Amino acid sequence: MHPDSARRTPSGETVLLAGFDFGSTTCSAMAARARLDLNCVTGRMEFGQPDIFYRSEPRFTPFQDDSRLDLNAVSNLLDLWLTEGNIDPTILFSGGAIVTGLAAERDNAHALTELVERRIGNMVMATARDPVLESWLAFMGSCADLVRPGEPPVLNLDIGGGTTNAALGVEGQVIAAGCHFIGARHLQFAPDGETLRGFSEFGQALLSHLGLSHSPGERMEPDAIARVIAWYVQALEAIAQGQREIFRESYGRMHEQVPFTPALPSPPRITFSGGVGEMIYAALDGTPLPPRSLYGDLGTDLARAIMASPLLSRDLRTTVPRNRGRATVCGLTVHGTDISGSTVFLSPQSHLPLRDLPVLACVDFETTPRRLADVFAMIARHPAGGCLRLDGPAPPTLAQLRDFGRRLANVFTTSALPPELPVVILTNRNIGRTLGNYATRWRTLPVNLIVLDEVPGRDARFVRVGRPRNTVLPVSFYGMNHPLG
């Protein structure tokens, strides 16, 4: 038996999860309860099927002006959502908040995330300008159950007011993601649905490229609107086919925040989410598309054009995602947090939760003492501490585990690392407690070491570790790197 095989599990315990999404056009909240269950196949602790008990009505994202979000209005929305959902922030197991699309481009987007963290607490991971994470979350919240082994890949296009987030899933994994400034709200209209009220810098650039000289206050002719929509559909079709030509021109490059460059193994099934996706699937169910004047943008026009595209509409009736609209907030609530194994190691000096730890290195069981010393020197320069991933192609033998732990102990004793500075090791192996004991010489070294085992690998720049619940801890990643895989 492996040294860490024996477990105490909190199987059957129910925890509270919550998510908050602030997008270009609307914002919303969601809350769910989920059981912590032991997967009888993998042996890992996992969330059971979540019970989503609260979905807020979508509200217009509050803006003060063209450059700033209205933080007072956001604070009031948070109070409303917590009251409506009967959500107690003090008992949250995990949660997340994300600012996306054009809202993330506002000057005070990070101030919004700080507001959420102050209001909801340290159990919430909040981030802005994280487009690959947004693509991943939208895919997981929309159609993760559609990418089963042996079935064709799925491309999800999450289309909102400011961006289209593309993510390609194959056999249960997102293998590529990207983000483009293609959305409904780059042109904004007055209540009559015809008078141009304003545009984003991306909308203005597209009008210029198309030779359209419309200014705010002028009526925009149907033919001009149709030309804008035609360019958007052409770009979406290029994304769906892995084609790059349209994004090599200057105006195309401007619309490309994160390039989507997967090697498509076969034509993927195409699904949609976001506000435009919600309109599309509602229309398929017989709900009339709303007038342009309802939201004052091009959402209706874009939904109608997608449904008319033979390429983009080919799977609309045969491959239908579970969550057809607010996929990002669903992904954030249900899939935004991983669970550690139940044999984690916590030094006596450890204090949780931990926020905004940079992931500084990836090591394996053969990493040399010199390389480990260099990693610890990097950690010492970060006031919040640091994190490293420990992975390997195969489970380590007890001898490998012991030798690596001793190398860590030697580096702890020779480095200038402050004893209170957190060092977090993430590994997908079931070795947490054993490695921690070797690395701290059976808890005799005055170090702040945390080893979180059985945590799936994610290629991200930052990690957040929540408070323990029985024997497991919530782990959230953000600052996702590109490409995924």
Side-chain angles (χ1 to χ4, degrees):
M1 179 180 290
H2 194 279
D4 281 353
S5 293
R7 304 169 176 267
R8 289 184 301 112
T9 70
S11 188
E13 183 177 0
T14 299
V15 295
L16 178 64
L17 319 171
F20 308 87
D21 176 26
F22 299 88
S24 304
T25 307
T26 61
C27 54
S28 60
M30 182 176 289
R33 298 182 185 91
R35 285 165 52 95
L36 294 173
D37 288 327
L38 188 66
N39 187 307
C40 61
V41 176
T42 65
R44 289 193 67 252
M45 292 303 304
E46 296 178 351
F47 290 124
Q49 182 63 39
D51 171 26
I52 299 174
F53 66 88
Y54 173 66
R55 297 175 187 257
S56 74
E57 290 297 320
R59 300 286 185 119
F60 283 107
T61 301
F63 294 97
Q64 277 186 330
D65 50 44
D66 289 340
S67 64
R68 299 181 68 79
L69 292 151
D70 187 339
L71 298 186
N72 287 330
V74 170
S75 181
N76 292 334
L77 277 175
L78 290 173
D79 289 339
L80 172 68
W81 290 334
L82 295 175
T83 300
E84 282 185 348
N86 194 25
I87 303 167
D88 182 354
T90 65
I91 62 171
L92 271 179
F93 180 72
S94 70
I98 191 167
V99 186
T100 64
L102 296 179
E105 300 296 307
R106 296 300 192 262
D107 294 343
N108 59 344
H110 285 293
L112 188 155
T113 65
E114 292 169 358
L115 167 66
V116 173
E117 289 179 339
R118 289 195 305 270
R119 182 66 184 86
I120 309 298
N122 285 329
M123 300 309 293
V124 171
M125 177 275 294
T127 185
R129 299 187 180 98
D130 201 345
V132 176
L133 175 61
E134 183 186 351
S135 299
W136 186 91
L137 289 170
F139 185 96
M140 298 302 292
S142 175
C143 54
D145 59 325
L146 298 176
V147 286
R148 292 178 288 267
E151 297 193 1
V154 173
L155 171 63
N156 187 65
L157 299 175
D158 185 80
I159 307 175
T163 55
T164 291
N165 289 82
L168 180 68
V170 178
E171 297 195 352
Q173 298 293 326
V174 175
I175 64 169
C179 181
H180 298 76
F181 289 108
I182 298 169
R185 208 159 182 78
H186 292 297
L187 300 183
Q188 297 149 42
F189 293 86
D192 62 8
E194 297 180 349
T195 303
L196 189 63
R197 193 183 68 187
F199 39 58
S200 70
E201 61 176 309
F202 306 99
Q204 185 178 26
L206 182 56
L207 291 177
S208 177
H209 166 69
L210 296 174
L212 301 172
S213 58
H214 294 77
S215 300
E218 297 179 354
R219 179 179 178 273
M220 197 165 178
E221 301 84 1
D223 178 67
I225 293 174
R227 291 176 63 189
V228 171
I229 294 298
W231 190 90
Y232 281 152
V233 170
Q234 182 186 4
L236 292 172
E237 290 176 341
I239 293 169
Q241 296 175 93
Q243 296 176 351
R244 301 283 307 139
E245 287 77 7
I246 194 171
F247 301 111
R248 292 195 176 104
E249 302 293 336
S250 59
Y251 61 91
R253 285 197 302 272
M254 180 183 182
H255 283 77
E256 189 173 55
Q257 185 177 19
V258 178
F260 182 67
T261 56
L264 295 173
S266 60
R269 296 169 288 166
I270 301 173
T271 61
F272 296 89
S273 59
V276 174
E278 189 168 15
M279 285 186 187
I280 290 170
Y281 291 112
L284 291 176
D285 287 341
T287 301
L289 286 169
R292 188 184 303 133
S293 58
L294 180 62
Y295 294 105
D297 59 27
L298 295 177
T300 293
D301 302 83
L302 196 50
R304 183 177 290 112
I306 289 170
M307 295 171 67
S309 164
L311 172 66
L312 298 175
S313 65
R314 69 188 180 199
D315 303 304
L316 286 180
R317 295 191 181 277
T318 58
T319 306
V320 181
R322 176 179 298 177
N323 291 298
R324 307 177 186 185
R326 287 171 281 168
T328 301
V329 70
C330 181
L332 193 62
T333 304
V334 177
H335 300 282
T337 300
D338 287 313
I339 306 171
S340 75
S342 58
T343 56
V344 300
F345 177 88
L346 300 173
S347 293
Q349 293 88 342
S350 300
H351 297 284
L352 297 171
L354 294 174
R355 301 173 51 187
D356 308 330
L357 286 182
V359 182
L360 296 173
C362 294
V363 300
D364 59 33
F365 295 97
E366 304 303 321
T367 298
T368 65
R370 181 170 182 174
R371 170 60 177 156
L372 290 174
D374 290 342
V375 172
F376 275 48
M378 287 192 291
I379 294 175
R381 291 194 289 269
H382 286 265
C387 177
L388 59 150
R389 279 219 63 97
L390 171 62
D391 292 312
T397 65
L398 182 56
Q400 287 176 311
L401 187 58
R402 181 180 60 244
D403 291 345
F404 182 75
R406 288 172 175 172
R407 265 174 274 152
L408 284 173
N410 290 336
V411 175
F412 269 122
T413 58
T414 58
S415 70
L417 203 68
E420 71 279 1
L421 198 67
V423 176
V424 175
I425 297 176
L426 301 174
T427 178
N428 61 354
R429 305 297 178 187
N430 177 19
I431 58 172
R433 192 170 299 143
T434 300
L435 177 60
N437 281 326
Y438 282 128
T440 61
R441 294 177 181 161
W442 304 96
R443 300 179 182 267
T444 62
L445 295 181
V447 298
N448 185 356
L449 175 66
I450 299 172
V451 184
L452 303 180
D453 61 358
E454 299 188 273
V455 177
R458 290 206 206 166
D459 191 9
R461 296 189 295 274
F462 297 96
V463 67
R464 175 166 298 193
V465 183
R467 294 188 183 93
R469 179 66 60 91
N470 201 329
T471 58
V472 300
L473 290 85
V475 184
S476 302
F477 296 88
Y478 61 104
M480 302 289 276
N481 292 315
H482 176 76
L484 295 173

